[in-house]
Amino acid sequence: MKNLEENFRLAKKQDRRAQKALYELFSAKMLAVANSYTNNIHDAEDILLYAFLKCFSKIEDCKEWKSFPFWLRKIVVNDSITFVRKNRNILYSNIEIAEDFPDDEIDDRLNEIDLEEIFSQIPEGYKLVFNLYVFEDKKHQEIAEILNISDGTSKSQLSKAKKWIANYLKAKENGQKNTETAKI
């Protein structure tokens, strides 16, 4: 952490070596964040570069070195959402679902989940809401403001995302069982 503190202080003075050190320290994790939204490594790399440019040009806005990782992540998430919204046509259904799909089915299989595979398949609208709710810990009202949708649509999309993931996992599990049976 001392390196982070020192590099942050120097980066605020526009020291290029310190900026490079911060980039090297956080680029892999931030690339994974961007890729979880875009599901395209090339787009995620572009987002990452622009996010770091924005970060270093506005680094004075970040007051403490301890909050730098969270501040940088917020920039990457916001830039990722902006990119997805500008470059993809996302349809949100305004149907509200009265009851959520049970989380138990998803929780039981956490060790077996390949997030990259799931995020490559899940519909964009579901993925955005799911990422913001689960990984960014946003409330439905915040998600609605960020994505310019209603609270009900946010809740509906999260419920549909959970159901989609559960169905995807069930289908995958059934496919594996069928494959195992065929081998016997």
Side-chain angles (χ1 to χ4, degrees):
M1 284 297 190
K2 185 164 178 20
N3 285 343
L4 174 58
E5 182 178 7
E6 185 176 331
N7 285 322
F8 175 76
R9 186 180 48 76
L10 292 171
K12 278 190 142 187
K13 296 178 183 176
Q14 299 303 312
D15 181 295
R16 297 292 181 217
R17 286 189 178 133
Q19 290 175 343
K20 182 180 179 194
L22 289 175
Y23 177 84
E24 290 173 352
L25 187 61
F26 292 103
S27 61
K29 185 179 263 186
M30 294 303 123
L31 180 62
V33 170
N35 195 39
S36 75
Y37 285 90
T38 63
N39 203 41
N40 180 313
I41 194 68
H42 302 296
D43 292 338
E45 288 169 345
D46 289 345
I47 291 166
L48 179 73
L49 291 176
Y50 287 116
F52 269 101
L53 284 173
K54 186 185 290 184
C55 162
F56 293 136
S57 68
K58 296 183 176 194
I59 198 164
E60 288 299 320
D61 293 349
C62 185
K63 303 298 179 204
E64 285 190 44
W65 67 272
K66 291 177 183 176
S67 63
F68 178 77
F70 307 105
W71 181 76
L72 175 61
R73 182 183 177 94
K74 186 174 182 178
I75 291 172
V76 171
V77 168
N78 288 340
D79 286 358
S80 298
I81 291 168
T82 299
F83 176 86
V84 170
R85 288 180 73 200
K86 284 182 181 177
N87 294 295
R88 300 214 172 93
N89 293 325
I90 302 170
L91 297 175
Y92 295 101
S93 171
N94 282 326
I95 300 169
E96 288 195 42
I97 296 177
E99 59 185 70
D100 277 341
F101 198 77
D103 291 334
D104 299 346
E105 292 186 35
I106 294 173
D107 292 340
D108 292 343
R109 299 187 184 115
L110 279 178
N111 293 333
E112 301 171 18
I113 294 176
D114 180 355
L115 287 179
E116 278 189 48
E117 182 180 331
I118 290 172
F119 284 128
S120 71
Q121 304 287 325
I122 193 169
E124 289 296 324
Y126 298 175
K127 179 173 28 175
L128 285 175
V129 172
F130 186 83
N131 275 354
L132 288 168
Y133 189 84
V134 174
F135 298 119
E136 304 305 325
D137 201 28
K138 300 285 185 191
K139 304 290 180 223
H140 288 293
Q141 184 177 2
E142 294 172 294
I143 295 169
E145 289 173 15
I146 291 168
L147 298 178
N148 198 25
I149 59 177
S150 71
D151 291 8
T153 300
S154 176
K155 291 174 186 175
S156 172
Q157 294 296 300
L158 178 63
S159 178
K160 289 177 182 181
K162 288 178 181 180
K163 185 174 183 176
W164 187 94
I165 291 169
N167 289 337
Y168 181 86
L169 293 173
K170 281 181 189 174
K172 189 169 174 82
E173 184 179 294
N174 289 338
Q176 289 174 346
K177 284 181 181 175
N178 292 338
T179 305
E180 291 170 6
T181 306
K183 289 180 184 177
I184 297 176

